[in-house]
PDB file of all heavy atoms in Angstrom:
ATOM      1  N   VAL A   1      -7.000   8.477 -12.220  1.00 98.00           N
ATOM      2  CA  VAL A   1      -7.378   7.497 -13.160  1.00 98.00           C
ATOM      3  C   VAL A   1      -7.948   6.230 -12.485  1.00 98.00           C
ATOM      4  O   VAL A   1      -8.959   5.687 -12.957  1.00 98.00           O
ATOM      5  CB  VAL A   1      -6.117   7.107 -14.015  1.00 98.00           C
ATOM      6  CG1 VAL A   1      -6.484   6.025 -15.052  1.00 98.00           C
ATOM      7  CG2 VAL A   1      -5.574   8.348 -14.724  1.00 98.00           C
ATOM      8  N   SER A   2      -7.249   5.767 -11.410  1.00 97.00           N
ATOM      9  CA  SER A   2      -7.763   4.546 -10.718  1.00 97.00           C
ATOM     10  C   SER A   2      -7.059   4.476  -9.376  1.00 97.00           C
ATOM     11  O   SER A   2      -6.092   5.175  -9.089  1.00 97.00           O
ATOM     12  CB  SER A   2      -7.472   3.250 -11.547  1.00 97.00           C
ATOM     13  OG  SER A   2      -6.075   3.122 -11.772  1.00 97.00           O
ATOM     14  N   THR A   3      -7.589   3.623  -8.496  1.00 98.00           N
ATOM     15  CA  THR A   3      -6.984   3.434  -7.158  1.00 98.00           C
ATOM     16  C   THR A   3      -6.780   1.936  -6.940  1.00 98.00           C
ATOM     17  O   THR A   3      -7.545   1.080  -7.428  1.00 98.00           O
ATOM     18  CB  THR A   3      -7.846   4.003  -6.054  1.00 98.00           C
ATOM     19  OG1 THR A   3      -9.123   3.288  -6.009  1.00 98.00           O
ATOM     20  CG2 THR A   3      -8.155   5.465  -6.309  1.00 98.00           C
ATOM     21  N   HIS A   4      -5.754   1.577  -6.143  1.00 98.00           N
ATOM     22  CA  HIS A   4      -5.418   0.204  -5.906  1.00 98.00           C
ATOM     23  C   HIS A   4      -5.056   0.039  -4.452  1.00 98.00           C
ATOM     24  O   HIS A   4      -4.120   0.651  -3.947  1.00 98.00           O
ATOM     25  CB  HIS A   4      -4.231  -0.191  -6.811  1.00 98.00           C
ATOM     26  CG  HIS A   4      -4.511  -0.033  -8.243  1.00 98.00           C
ATOM     27  ND1 HIS A   4      -4.962  -1.000  -9.061  1.00 98.00           N
ATOM     28  CD2 HIS A   4      -4.442   1.133  -9.029  1.00 98.00           C
ATOM     29  CE1 HIS A   4      -5.153  -0.542 -10.294  1.00 98.00           C
ATOM     30  NE2 HIS A   4      -4.825   0.748 -10.295  1.00 98.00           N
ATOM     31  N   ARG A   5      -5.827  -0.756  -3.702  1.00 97.00           N
ATOM     32  CA  ARG A   5      -5.756  -0.885  -2.295  1.00 97.00           C
ATOM     33  C   ARG A   5      -5.053  -2.192  -1.909  1.00 97.00           C
ATOM     34  O   ARG A   5      -5.349  -3.221  -2.508  1.00 97.00           O
ATOM     35  CB  ARG A   5      -7.108  -0.802  -1.633  1.00 97.00           C
ATOM     36  CG  ARG A   5      -7.138  -0.795  -0.132  1.00 97.00           C
ATOM     37  CD  ARG A   5      -8.608  -0.845   0.347  1.00 97.00           C
ATOM     38  NE  ARG A   5      -8.731  -0.869   1.760  1.00 97.00           N
ATOM     39  CZ  ARG A   5      -8.892   0.199   2.552  1.00 97.00           C
ATOM     40  NH1 ARG A   5      -8.964   1.360   1.993  1.00 97.00           N
ATOM     41  NH2 ARG A   5      -8.962   0.081   3.871  1.00 97.00           N
ATOM     42  N   PHE A   6      -4.166  -2.151  -0.934  1.00 97.00           N
ATOM     43  CA  PHE A   6      -3.403  -3.298  -0.516  1.00 97.00           C
ATOM     44  C   PHE A   6      -3.559  -3.422   1.048  1.00 97.00           C
ATOM     45  O   PHE A   6      -3.241  -2.456   1.745  1.00 97.00           O
ATOM     46  CB  PHE A   6      -1.927  -3.185  -0.842  1.00 97.00           C
ATOM     47  CG  PHE A   6      -1.666  -3.133  -2.349  1.00 97.00           C
ATOM     48  CD1 PHE A   6      -1.836  -1.912  -3.046  1.00 97.00           C
ATOM     49  CD2 PHE A   6      -1.297  -4.240  -3.032  1.00 97.00           C
ATOM     50  CE1 PHE A   6      -1.603  -1.820  -4.399  1.00 97.00           C
ATOM     51  CE2 PHE A   6      -1.053  -4.152  -4.412  1.00 97.00           C
ATOM     52  CZ  PHE A   6      -1.199  -3.002  -5.077  1.00 97.00           C
ATOM     53  N   THR A   7      -4.050  -4.561   1.518  1.00 95.00           N
ATOM     54  CA  THR A   7      -4.330  -4.669   2.936  1.00 95.00           C
ATOM     55  C   THR A   7      -3.305  -5.579   3.637  1.00 95.00           C
ATOM     56  O   THR A   7      -3.251  -5.597   4.856  1.00 95.00           O
ATOM     57  CB  THR A   7      -5.722  -5.242   3.196  1.00 95.00           C
ATOM     58  OG1 THR A   7      -5.825  -6.567   2.565  1.00 95.00           O
ATOM     59  CG2 THR A   7      -6.774  -4.315   2.598  1.00 95.00           C
ATOM     60  N   CYS A   8      -2.492  -6.297   2.851  1.00 93.00           N
ATOM     61  CA  CYS A   8      -1.473  -7.133   3.471  1.00 93.00           C
ATOM     62  C   CYS A   8      -0.392  -7.458   2.442  1.00 93.00           C
ATOM     63  O   CYS A   8      -0.561  -7.174   1.261  1.00 93.00           O
ATOM     64  CB  CYS A   8      -2.091  -8.452   4.021  1.00 93.00           C
ATOM     65  SG  CYS A   8      -2.664  -9.581   2.764  1.00 93.00           S
ATOM     66  N   ALA A   9       0.689  -8.079   2.891  1.00 92.00           N
ATOM     67  CA  ALA A   9       1.797  -8.324   2.009  1.00 92.00           C
ATOM     68  C   ALA A   9       1.432  -9.223   0.838  1.00 92.00           C
ATOM     69  O   ALA A   9       1.907  -9.012  -0.252  1.00 92.00           O
ATOM     70  CB  ALA A   9       2.947  -9.017   2.826  1.00 92.00           C
ATOM     71  N   ARG A  10       0.577 -10.201   1.087  1.00 92.00           N
ATOM     72  CA  ARG A  10       0.248 -11.109   0.012  1.00 92.00           C
ATOM     73  C   ARG A  10      -0.457 -10.422  -1.174  1.00 92.00           C
ATOM     74  O   ARG A  10      -0.413 -10.912  -2.289  1.00 92.00           O
ATOM     75  CB  ARG A  10      -0.611 -12.236   0.563  1.00 92.00           C
ATOM     76  CG  ARG A  10      -0.735 -13.448  -0.400  1.00 92.00           C
ATOM     77  CD  ARG A  10      -1.223 -14.690   0.304  1.00 92.00           C
ATOM     78  NE  ARG A  10      -1.231 -15.850  -0.658  1.00 92.00           N
ATOM     79  CZ  ARG A  10      -0.164 -16.570  -0.998  1.00 92.00           C
ATOM     80  NH1 ARG A  10       1.025 -16.262  -0.508  1.00 92.00           N
ATOM     81  NH2 ARG A  10      -0.248 -17.518  -1.859  1.00 92.00           N
ATOM     82  N   ASP A  11      -1.129  -9.334  -0.926  1.00 95.00           N
ATOM     83  CA  ASP A  11      -1.761  -8.583  -2.006  1.00 95.00           C
ATOM     84  C   ASP A  11      -0.756  -8.171  -3.112  1.00 95.00           C
ATOM     85  O   ASP A  11      -1.096  -8.021  -4.262  1.00 95.00           O
ATOM     86  CB  ASP A  11      -2.463  -7.342  -1.473  1.00 95.00           C
ATOM     87  CG  ASP A  11      -3.747  -7.641  -0.774  1.00 95.00           C
ATOM     88  OD1 ASP A  11      -4.279  -8.780  -0.926  1.00 95.00           O
ATOM     89  OD2 ASP A  11      -4.249  -6.775  -0.058  1.00 95.00           O
ATOM     90  N   PHE A  12       0.527  -7.982  -2.646  1.00 96.00           N
ATOM     91  CA  PHE A  12       1.535  -7.483  -3.638  1.00 96.00           C
ATOM     92  C   PHE A  12       2.042  -8.592  -4.548  1.00 96.00           C
ATOM     93  O   PHE A  12       2.762  -8.341  -5.498  1.00 96.00           O
ATOM     94  CB  PHE A  12       2.695  -6.857  -2.885  1.00 96.00           C
ATOM     95  CG  PHE A  12       2.345  -5.537  -2.250  1.00 96.00           C
ATOM     96  CD1 PHE A  12       1.836  -5.439  -0.984  1.00 96.00           C
ATOM     97  CD2 PHE A  12       2.565  -4.378  -2.974  1.00 96.00           C
ATOM     98  CE1 PHE A  12       1.531  -4.208  -0.416  1.00 96.00           C
ATOM     99  CE2 PHE A  12       2.220  -3.131  -2.457  1.00 96.00           C
ATOM    100  CZ  PHE A  12       1.707  -3.066  -1.184  1.00 96.00           C
ATOM    101  N   LEU A  13       1.633  -9.892  -4.290  1.00 96.00           N
ATOM    102  CA  LEU A  13       2.048 -10.960  -5.185  1.00 96.00           C
ATOM    103  C   LEU A  13       1.345 -10.853  -6.541  1.00 96.00           C
ATOM    104  O   LEU A  13       1.717 -11.523  -7.476  1.00 96.00           O
ATOM    105  CB  LEU A  13       1.666 -12.289  -4.525  1.00 96.00           C
ATOM    106  CG  LEU A  13       2.540 -12.703  -3.339  1.00 96.00           C
ATOM    107  CD1 LEU A  13       2.059 -14.020  -2.702  1.00 96.00           C
ATOM    108  CD2 LEU A  13       4.042 -12.822  -3.753  1.00 96.00           C
ATOM    109  N   GLN A  14       0.392  -9.943  -6.659  1.00 95.00           N
ATOM    110  CA  GLN A  14      -0.292  -9.708  -7.950  1.00 95.00           C
ATOM    111  C   GLN A  14       0.696  -9.225  -9.052  1.00 95.00           C
ATOM    112  O   GLN A  14       0.383  -9.315 -10.198  1.00 95.00           O
ATOM    113  CB  GLN A  14      -1.475  -8.739  -7.800  1.00 95.00           C
ATOM    114  CG  GLN A  14      -1.017  -7.343  -7.462  1.00 95.00           C
ATOM    115  CD  GLN A  14      -2.268  -6.426  -7.279  1.00 95.00           C
ATOM    116  OE1 GLN A  14      -2.638  -5.720  -8.181  1.00 95.00           O
ATOM    117  NE2 GLN A  14      -2.810  -6.438  -6.076  1.00 95.00           N
ATOM    118  N   PHE A  15       1.827  -8.699  -8.561  1.00 97.00           N
ATOM    119  CA  PHE A  15       2.810  -8.201  -9.531  1.00 97.00           C
ATOM    120  C   PHE A  15       3.644  -9.305 -10.129  1.00 97.00           C
ATOM    121  O   PHE A  15       4.409  -9.084 -11.053  1.00 97.00           O
ATOM    122  CB  PHE A  15       3.703  -7.149  -8.860  1.00 97.00           C
ATOM    123  CG  PHE A  15       2.983  -5.895  -8.519  1.00 97.00           C
ATOM    124  CD1 PHE A  15       2.503  -5.692  -7.227  1.00 97.00           C
ATOM    125  CD2 PHE A  15       2.766  -4.943  -9.486  1.00 97.00           C
ATOM    126  CE1 PHE A  15       1.843  -4.499  -6.910  1.00 97.00           C
ATOM    127  CE2 PHE A  15       2.081  -3.773  -9.175  1.00 97.00           C
ATOM    128  CZ  PHE A  15       1.594  -3.525  -7.863  1.00 97.00           C
ATOM    129  N   LEU A  16       3.554 -10.538  -9.613  1.00 96.00           N
ATOM    130  CA  LEU A  16       4.252 -11.667 -10.186  1.00 96.00           C
ATOM    131  C   LEU A  16       3.358 -12.328 -11.231  1.00 96.00           C
ATOM    132  O   LEU A  16       2.139 -12.530 -10.996  1.00 96.00           O
ATOM    133  CB  LEU A  16       4.598 -12.696  -9.106  1.00 96.00           C
ATOM    134  CG  LEU A  16       5.487 -12.218  -7.967  1.00 96.00           C
ATOM    135  CD1 LEU A  16       5.782 -13.384  -7.040  1.00 96.00           C
ATOM    136  CD2 LEU A  16       6.784 -11.616  -8.531  1.00 96.00           C
ATOM    137  N   PRO A  17       3.886 -12.662 -12.371  1.00 95.00           N
ATOM    138  CA  PRO A  17       3.040 -13.329 -13.418  1.00 95.00           C
ATOM    139  C   PRO A  17       2.609 -14.677 -12.931  1.00 95.00           C
ATOM    140  O   PRO A  17       3.253 -15.376 -12.170  1.00 95.00           O
ATOM    141  CB  PRO A  17       3.962 -13.453 -14.649  1.00 95.00           C
ATOM    142  CG  PRO A  17       5.346 -13.285 -14.073  1.00 95.00           C
ATOM    143  CD  PRO A  17       5.234 -12.411 -12.843  1.00 95.00           C
ATOM    144  N   ALA A  18       1.412 -15.150 -13.452  1.00 91.00           N
ATOM    145  CA  ALA A  18       0.852 -16.425 -12.979  1.00 91.00           C
ATOM    146  C   ALA A  18       1.743 -17.583 -13.360  1.00 91.00           C
ATOM    147  O   ALA A  18       1.717 -18.626 -12.675  1.00 91.00           O
ATOM    148  CB  ALA A  18      -0.511 -16.592 -13.583  1.00 91.00           C
ATOM    149  N   ASP A  19       2.493 -17.404 -14.419  1.00 91.00           N
ATOM    150  CA  ASP A  19       3.313 -18.558 -14.905  1.00 91.00           C
ATOM    151  C   ASP A  19       4.790 -18.487 -14.465  1.00 91.00           C
ATOM    152  O   ASP A  19       5.675 -19.130 -15.030  1.00 91.00           O
ATOM    153  CB  ASP A  19       3.288 -18.659 -16.455  1.00 91.00           C
ATOM    154  CG  ASP A  19       3.756 -17.355 -17.109  1.00 91.00           C
ATOM    155  OD1 ASP A  19       3.846 -16.333 -16.408  1.00 91.00           O
ATOM    156  OD2 ASP A  19       4.001 -17.385 -18.339  1.00 91.00           O
ATOM    157  N   VAL A  20       5.061 -17.628 -13.408  1.00 94.00           N
ATOM    158  CA  VAL A  20       6.452 -17.531 -12.948  1.00 94.00           C
ATOM    159  C   VAL A  20       6.856 -18.890 -12.381  1.00 94.00           C
ATOM    160  O   VAL A  20       6.155 -19.461 -11.568  1.00 94.00           O
ATOM    161  CB  VAL A  20       6.578 -16.414 -11.963  1.00 94.00           C
ATOM    162  CG1 VAL A  20       5.841 -16.693 -10.624  1.00 94.00           C
ATOM    163  CG2 VAL A  20       8.073 -16.150 -11.638  1.00 94.00           C
ATOM    164  N   PRO A  21       8.028 -19.399 -12.733  1.00 95.00           N
ATOM    165  CA  PRO A  21       8.464 -20.704 -12.189  1.00 95.00           C
ATOM    166  C   PRO A  21       8.854 -20.596 -10.745  1.00 95.00           C
ATOM    167  O   PRO A  21       9.128 -19.471 -10.238  1.00 95.00           O
ATOM    168  CB  PRO A  21       9.685 -21.024 -13.091  1.00 95.00           C
ATOM    169  CG  PRO A  21      10.184 -19.708 -13.546  1.00 95.00           C
ATOM    170  CD  PRO A  21       8.970 -18.863 -13.715  1.00 95.00           C
ATOM    171  N   GLN A  22       8.879 -21.726 -10.072  1.00 93.00           N
ATOM    172  CA  GLN A  22       9.344 -21.753  -8.665  1.00 93.00           C
ATOM    173  C   GLN A  22      10.539 -22.706  -8.556  1.00 93.00           C
ATOM    174  O   GLN A  22      10.405 -23.881  -8.828  1.00 93.00           O
ATOM    175  CB  GLN A  22       8.211 -22.276  -7.795  1.00 93.00           C
ATOM    176  CG  GLN A  22       6.915 -21.432  -7.808  1.00 93.00           C
ATOM    177  CD  GLN A  22       7.098 -20.108  -7.093  1.00 93.00           C
ATOM    178  OE1 GLN A  22       7.599 -20.072  -5.955  1.00 93.00           O
ATOM    179  NE2 GLN A  22       6.589 -19.080  -7.692  1.00 93.00           N
ATOM    180  N   PRO A  23      11.675 -22.180  -8.170  1.00 96.00           N
ATOM    181  CA  PRO A  23      12.004 -20.807  -7.885  1.00 96.00           C
ATOM    182  C   PRO A  23      12.269 -19.996  -9.118  1.00 96.00           C
ATOM    183  O   PRO A  23      12.364 -20.574 -10.235  1.00 96.00           O
ATOM    184  CB  PRO A  23      13.238 -20.904  -6.964  1.00 96.00           C
ATOM    185  CG  PRO A  23      13.914 -22.132  -7.492  1.00 96.00           C
ATOM    186  CD  PRO A  23      12.834 -23.074  -7.887  1.00 96.00           C
ATOM    187  N   PHE A  24      12.514 -18.693  -8.978  1.00 96.00           N
ATOM    188  CA  PHE A  24      12.800 -17.850 -10.125  1.00 96.00           C
ATOM    189  C   PHE A  24      13.800 -16.777  -9.697  1.00 96.00           C
ATOM    190  O   PHE A  24      13.994 -16.478  -8.530  1.00 96.00           O
ATOM    191  CB  PHE A  24      11.483 -17.177 -10.616  1.00 96.00           C
ATOM    192  CG  PHE A  24      10.927 -16.180  -9.590  1.00 96.00           C
ATOM    193  CD1 PHE A  24      11.202 -14.850  -9.624  1.00 96.00           C
ATOM    194  CD2 PHE A  24       9.971 -16.671  -8.671  1.00 96.00           C
ATOM    195  CE1 PHE A  24      10.704 -13.981  -8.694  1.00 96.00           C
ATOM    196  CE2 PHE A  24       9.408 -15.776  -7.727  1.00 96.00           C
ATOM    197  CZ  PHE A  24       9.756 -14.456  -7.745  1.00 96.00           C
ATOM    198  N   SER A  25      14.501 -16.247 -10.684  1.00 97.00           N
ATOM    199  CA  SER A  25      15.484 -15.184 -10.462  1.00 97.00           C
ATOM    200  C   SER A  25      14.935 -13.826 -10.928  1.00 97.00           C
ATOM    201  O   SER A  25      13.900 -13.771 -11.571  1.00 97.00           O
ATOM    202  CB  SER A  25      16.771 -15.493 -11.243  1.00 97.00           C
ATOM    203  OG  SER A  25      16.533 -15.392 -12.660  1.00 97.00           O
ATOM    204  N   ASN A  26      15.659 -12.775 -10.591  1.00 97.00           N
ATOM    205  CA  ASN A  26      15.290 -11.457 -11.073  1.00 97.00           C
ATOM    206  C   ASN A  26      15.354 -11.372 -12.575  1.00 97.00           C
ATOM    207  O   ASN A  26      14.500 -10.704 -13.201  1.00 97.00           O
ATOM    208  CB  ASN A  26      16.171 -10.390 -10.442  1.00 97.00           C
ATOM    209  CG  ASN A  26      15.780 -10.071  -9.031  1.00 97.00           C
ATOM    210  OD1 ASN A  26      14.649  -9.887  -8.722  1.00 97.00           O
ATOM    211  ND2 ASN A  26      16.786 -10.013  -8.160  1.00 97.00           N
ATOM    212  N   LYS A  27      16.294 -12.057 -13.209  1.00 96.00           N
ATOM    213  CA  LYS A  27      16.411 -12.036 -14.657  1.00 96.00           C
ATOM    214  C   LYS A  27      15.188 -12.724 -15.283  1.00 96.00           C
ATOM    215  O   LYS A  27      14.672 -12.257 -16.331  1.00 96.00           O
ATOM    216  CB  LYS A  27      17.655 -12.738 -15.077  1.00 96.00           C
ATOM    217  CG  LYS A  27      18.996 -11.951 -14.806  1.00 96.00           C
ATOM    218  CD  LYS A  27      20.199 -12.656 -15.313  1.00 96.00           C
ATOM    219  CE  LYS A  27      21.448 -11.797 -15.057  1.00 96.00           C
ATOM    220  NZ  LYS A  27      22.685 -12.499 -15.484  1.00 96.00           N
ATOM    221  N   THR A  28      14.737 -13.809 -14.716  1.00 96.00           N
ATOM    222  CA  THR A  28      13.534 -14.527 -15.182  1.00 96.00           C
ATOM    223  C   THR A  28      12.355 -13.562 -15.063  1.00 96.00           C
ATOM    224  O   THR A  28      11.519 -13.457 -16.021  1.00 96.00           O
ATOM    225  CB  THR A  28      13.295 -15.788 -14.389  1.00 96.00           C
ATOM    226  OG1 THR A  28      14.418 -16.643 -14.518  1.00 96.00           O
ATOM    227  CG2 THR A  28      12.031 -16.507 -14.887  1.00 96.00           C
ATOM    228  N   LEU A  29      12.225 -12.887 -13.942  1.00 97.00           N
ATOM    229  CA  LEU A  29      11.075 -12.017 -13.735  1.00 97.00           C
ATOM    230  C   LEU A  29      11.109 -10.830 -14.668  1.00 97.00           C
ATOM    231  O   LEU A  29      10.049 -10.457 -15.250  1.00 97.00           O
ATOM    232  CB  LEU A  29      11.128 -11.476 -12.287  1.00 97.00           C
ATOM    233  CG  LEU A  29       9.910 -10.639 -11.812  1.00 97.00           C
ATOM    234  CD1 LEU A  29       8.658 -11.502 -11.888  1.00 97.00           C
ATOM    235  CD2 LEU A  29      10.104 -10.120 -10.388  1.00 97.00           C
ATOM    236  N   ALA A  30      12.294 -10.286 -14.977  1.00 97.00           N
ATOM    237  CA  ALA A  30      12.421  -9.200 -15.874  1.00 97.00           C
ATOM    238  C   ALA A  30      11.995  -9.563 -17.270  1.00 97.00           C
ATOM    239  O   ALA A  30      11.351  -8.806 -18.017  1.00 97.00           O
ATOM    240  CB  ALA A  30      13.864  -8.672 -15.902  1.00 97.00           C
ATOM    241  N   ALA A  31      12.371 -10.806 -17.690  1.00 97.00           N
ATOM    242  CA  ALA A  31      11.932 -11.312 -19.001  1.00 97.00           C
ATOM    243  C   ALA A  31      10.430 -11.503 -19.156  1.00 97.00           C
ATOM    244  O   ALA A  31       9.825 -11.199 -20.128  1.00 97.00           O
ATOM    245  CB  ALA A  31      12.667 -12.642 -19.331  1.00 97.00           C
ATOM    246  N   LEU A  32       9.836 -12.000 -18.067  1.00 97.00           N
ATOM    247  CA  LEU A  32       8.391 -12.267 -18.042  1.00 97.00           C
ATOM    248  C   LEU A  32       7.584 -10.979 -17.976  1.00 97.00           C
ATOM    249  O   LEU A  32       6.505 -10.866 -18.609  1.00 97.00           O
ATOM    250  CB  LEU A  32       7.984 -13.195 -16.880  1.00 97.00           C
ATOM    251  CG  LEU A  32       8.458 -14.633 -16.950  1.00 97.00           C
ATOM    252  CD1 LEU A  32       8.204 -15.356 -15.650  1.00 97.00           C
ATOM    253  CD2 LEU A  32       7.754 -15.355 -18.143  1.00 97.00           C
ATOM    254  N   LEU A  33       8.022 -10.004 -17.198  1.00 96.00           N
ATOM    255  CA  LEU A  33       7.263  -8.757 -17.066  1.00 96.00           C
ATOM    256  C   LEU A  33       7.692  -7.679 -18.083  1.00 96.00           C
ATOM    257  O   LEU A  33       7.021  -6.647 -18.128  1.00 96.00           O
ATOM    258  CB  LEU A  33       7.523  -8.191 -15.650  1.00 96.00           C
ATOM    259  CG  LEU A  33       6.986  -9.028 -14.469  1.00 96.00           C
ATOM    260  CD1 LEU A  33       7.326  -8.355 -13.159  1.00 96.00           C
ATOM    261  CD2 LEU A  33       5.478  -9.203 -14.596  1.00 96.00           C
ATOM    262  N   HIS A  34       8.739  -7.892 -18.786  1.00 96.00           N
ATOM    263  CA  HIS A  34       9.300  -6.929 -19.757  1.00 96.00           C
ATOM    264  C   HIS A  34       9.592  -5.588 -19.011  1.00 96.00           C
ATOM    265  O   HIS A  34       9.235  -4.507 -19.482  1.00 96.00           O
ATOM    266  CB  HIS A  34       8.266  -6.656 -20.846  1.00 96.00           C
ATOM    267  CG  HIS A  34       7.859  -7.902 -21.606  1.00 96.00           C
ATOM    268  ND1 HIS A  34       8.695  -8.592 -22.396  1.00 96.00           N
ATOM    269  CD2 HIS A  34       6.681  -8.616 -21.562  1.00 96.00           C
ATOM    270  CE1 HIS A  34       8.057  -9.674 -22.942  1.00 96.00           C
ATOM    271  NE2 HIS A  34       6.855  -9.677 -22.407  1.00 96.00           N
ATOM    272  N   LEU A  35      10.251  -5.755 -17.900  1.00 97.00           N
ATOM    273  CA  LEU A  35      10.685  -4.611 -17.070  1.00 97.00           C
ATOM    274  C   LEU A  35      12.221  -4.577 -16.904  1.00 97.00           C
ATOM    275  O   LEU A  35      12.843  -5.671 -17.023  1.00 97.00           O
ATOM    276  CB  LEU A  35      10.072  -4.687 -15.676  1.00 97.00           C
ATOM    277  CG  LEU A  35       8.551  -4.500 -15.576  1.00 97.00           C
ATOM    278  CD1 LEU A  35       8.087  -4.715 -14.122  1.00 97.00           C
ATOM    279  CD2 LEU A  35       8.139  -3.093 -16.055  1.00 97.00           C
ATOM    280  N   PRO A  36      12.760  -3.449 -16.682  1.00 97.00           N
ATOM    281  CA  PRO A  36      14.245  -3.365 -16.407  1.00 97.00           C
ATOM    282  C   PRO A  36      14.599  -4.190 -15.216  1.00 97.00           C
ATOM    283  O   PRO A  36      13.842  -4.264 -14.216  1.00 97.00           O
ATOM    284  CB  PRO A  36      14.499  -1.862 -16.178  1.00 97.00           C
ATOM    285  CG  PRO A  36      13.310  -1.163 -16.799  1.00 97.00           C
ATOM    286  CD  PRO A  36      12.139  -2.106 -16.626  1.00 97.00           C
ATOM    287  N   LEU A  37      15.809  -4.744 -15.240  1.00 97.00           N
ATOM    288  CA  LEU A  37      16.257  -5.591 -14.108  1.00 97.00           C
ATOM    289  C   LEU A  37      16.314  -4.855 -12.807  1.00 97.00           C
ATOM    290  O   LEU A  37      15.871  -5.396 -11.787  1.00 97.00           O
ATOM    291  CB  LEU A  37      17.658  -6.164 -14.480  1.00 97.00           C
ATOM    292  CG  LEU A  37      18.236  -7.156 -13.446  1.00 97.00           C
ATOM    293  CD1 LEU A  37      17.333  -8.410 -13.343  1.00 97.00           C
ATOM    294  CD2 LEU A  37      19.642  -7.634 -13.969  1.00 97.00           C
ATOM    295  N   PRO A  38      16.775  -3.585 -12.735  1.00 97.00           N
ATOM    296  CA  PRO A  38      16.785  -2.856 -11.439  1.00 97.00           C
ATOM    297  C   PRO A  38      15.333  -2.738 -10.821  1.00 97.00           C
ATOM    298  O   PRO A  38      15.195  -2.808  -9.596  1.00 97.00           O
ATOM    299  CB  PRO A  38      17.332  -1.499 -11.764  1.00 97.00           C
ATOM    300  CG  PRO A  38      18.174  -1.725 -12.984  1.00 97.00           C
ATOM    301  CD  PRO A  38      17.443  -2.759 -13.759  1.00 97.00           C
ATOM    302  N   GLN A  39      14.338  -2.587 -11.688  1.00 97.00           N
ATOM    303  CA  GLN A  39      12.995  -2.453 -11.143  1.00 97.00           C
ATOM    304  C   GLN A  39      12.513  -3.790 -10.607  1.00 97.00           C
ATOM    305  O   GLN A  39      11.837  -3.870  -9.571  1.00 97.00           O
ATOM    306  CB  GLN A  39      12.053  -1.993 -12.300  1.00 97.00           C
ATOM    307  CG  GLN A  39      10.647  -1.531 -11.761  1.00 97.00           C
ATOM    308  CD  GLN A  39       9.820  -0.924 -12.837  1.00 97.00           C
ATOM    309  OE1 GLN A  39      10.257  -0.740 -14.007  1.00 97.00           O
ATOM    310  NE2 GLN A  39       8.630  -0.521 -12.503  1.00 97.00           N
ATOM    311  N   CYS A  40      12.876  -4.885 -11.267  1.00 97.00           N
ATOM    312  CA  CYS A  40      12.519  -6.214 -10.733  1.00 97.00           C
ATOM    313  C   CYS A  40      13.213  -6.503  -9.430  1.00 97.00           C
ATOM    314  O   CYS A  40      12.650  -7.135  -8.524  1.00 97.00           O
ATOM    315  CB  CYS A  40      12.833  -7.267 -11.759  1.00 97.00           C
ATOM    316  SG  CYS A  40      11.743  -7.218 -13.196  1.00 97.00           S
TER     317      CYS A  40
END
């Protein structure tokens, strides 16, 4: 379907929402991403 290339650690920050507060908790991330807490 598609491919996604990552060349360094910072590329993985794309999984954080743009409006995530600093600092943030896993619970905050789960609410923003609508993902289960274990996955966050």
Side-chain angles (χ1 to χ4, degrees):
V1 178
S2 61
T3 65
H4 303 263
R5 186 183 178 96
F6 298 81
T7 61
C8 69
R10 193 162 184 81
D11 284 345
F12 288 90
L13 289 175
Q14 67 182 264
F15 291 99
L16 301 182
D19 57 346
V20 66
Q22 300 287 315
F24 64 92
S25 67
N26 282 313
K27 288 183 178 178
T28 300
L29 187 61
L32 290 172
L33 294 178
H34 305 289
L35 291 176
L37 187 58
Q39 193 172 359
C40 289

